[in-house]
Amino acid sequence: MHLVLLGPPGAGKGTQATILARDLRLAHISTGDMLRTAVREGSDLGLAAREYMDRGELVPDELVIALIQDRLGAPDARGGFILDGFPRNVSQAERLDEILEELNLPLELVLNLQVPEAELIRRMTGRRVCPGCGESYHLVFNPPKSLGVCDQCGEDLIQRDDDKEATVRMRLEVYERENAPLVEYYGEAGLLVDIDGRGTVEQVYDRIRSELK
Ligand code: AMP
């Protein structure tokens, strides 16, 4: 399957995309993860992207499109993919259409995960990650055994800059502005399906699976 997963930051796109990719043997392509790796590695792309990411803004289209073009050209994408966090605006969606046409891998469905704003803020500001091994936690939903310390490797947990409340609000604003036209774009193409993103991971996953049948 060739899928796009849309949804505001904190809606659970990464979680759902990971499970879907495993169950349906799809390549899970997350531009947020790819950009964070580039930042960690200190590559040219990472250096260019970092300031935007820390402010909660979108990284310029050219950088993200080059990244996605490369990734979709890799052999595993031919077996199916789920795009998580891309596209983020109509111009990225238009470029994606061109790239997929060249690769002869047309989109089949766009899943639009919907979660109310207050719930998104609660989910995101509670996230903590381990700078050592990358494991993630949540103060309320998935706390570490001992407060502030990674269960896996014992490092002190941190809050990602872009999970801090001011940045979270900024990210949600950017999302609102850019996503509405994107929803319209895919709606007109007849590809869009709304998914209620409230409830447990399993409940949301079941809703997604019933749309894929
Ligand atoms: P995410 O983990 O998907 O919320 O992405 C984290 C950050 O990476 C975003 O706040 C943006 O700064 C950047 N980013 C991820 N995907 C894109 C994209 N498709 N276009 C522009 N910026 C992106």
Side-chain angles (χ1 to χ4, degrees):
M1 300 212 79
H2 307 152
L3 306 173
V4 164
L5 189 53
L6 296 182
K13 293 192 299 294
T15 306
Q16 296 295 333
T18 302
I19 311 176
L20 269 176
R22 187 194 63 205
D23 290 357
L24 303 178
R25 296 171 185 276
L26 305 175
H28 174 194
I29 303 180
S30 156
T31 41
D33 285 349
M34 292 162 89
L35 289 166
R36 277 186 288 279
T37 302
V39 168
R40 233 184 356 259
E41 289 172 348
S43 66
D44 288 348
L45 169 67
L47 292 176
R50 179 170 193 159
E51 52 174 314
Y52 298 96
M53 295 172 76
D54 285 349
R55 288 198 299 262
E57 291 171 12
L58 291 185
V59 169
D61 287 350
E62 319 82 77
L63 297 181
V64 190
I65 288 163
L67 197 64
I68 212 81
Q69 188 155 22
D70 253 26
R71 184 63 189 86
L72 283 168
D76 64 334
R78 300 209 71 79
F81 56 82
I82 178 154
L83 291 173
D84 157 13
F86 184 92
R88 288 282 235 275
N89 56 35
V90 171
S91 88
Q92 291 183 7
E94 288 169 348
R95 284 292 289 131
L96 176 65
D97 283 345
E98 290 166 17
I99 294 167
L100 293 178
E101 195 175 315
E102 272 167 33
L103 293 168
N104 198 19
L105 300 171
L107 276 185
E108 287 162 275
L109 206 60
V110 176
L111 304 160
N112 185 29
L113 263 188
Q114 298 181 307
V115 178
E117 182 174 301
E119 172 68 14
L120 293 171
I121 291 175
R122 199 160 69 96
R123 289 187 190 178
M124 278 194 288
T125 54
R127 279 186 193 161
R128 296 294 180 272
V129 292
C130 173
C133 68
E135 188 68 19
S136 35
Y137 298 89
H138 192 282
L139 297 181
V140 181
F141 307 120
N142 176 30
K145 292 197 185 83
S146 122
L147 190 72
V149 178
C150 180
D151 293 347
Q152 307 294 330
C153 69
E155 284 246 9
D156 286 346
L157 301 178
I158 57 162
Q159 185 176 36
R160 264 170 43 186
D161 277 343
D162 62 352
D163 285 337
K164 297 195 169 141
E165 182 157 347
T167 318
V168 163
R169 288 190 182 276
M170 173 71 187
R171 288 168 72 194
L172 291 173
E173 252 176 66
V174 170
Y175 180 79
E176 273 305 311
R177 193 171 60 233
E178 305 283 354
N179 196 59
L182 199 52
V183 164
E184 201 172 316
Y185 180 87
Y186 285 127
E188 278 168 13
L191 293 172
L192 193 79
V193 174
D194 287 334
I195 307 278
D196 181 354
R198 292 171 302 175
T200 65
V201 170
E202 292 74 23
Q203 286 168 333
V204 178
Y205 187 65
D206 286 347
R207 291 180 200 131
I208 294 178
R209 285 306 296 260
S210 56
E211 290 295 343
L212 296 182
K213 277 192 188 126

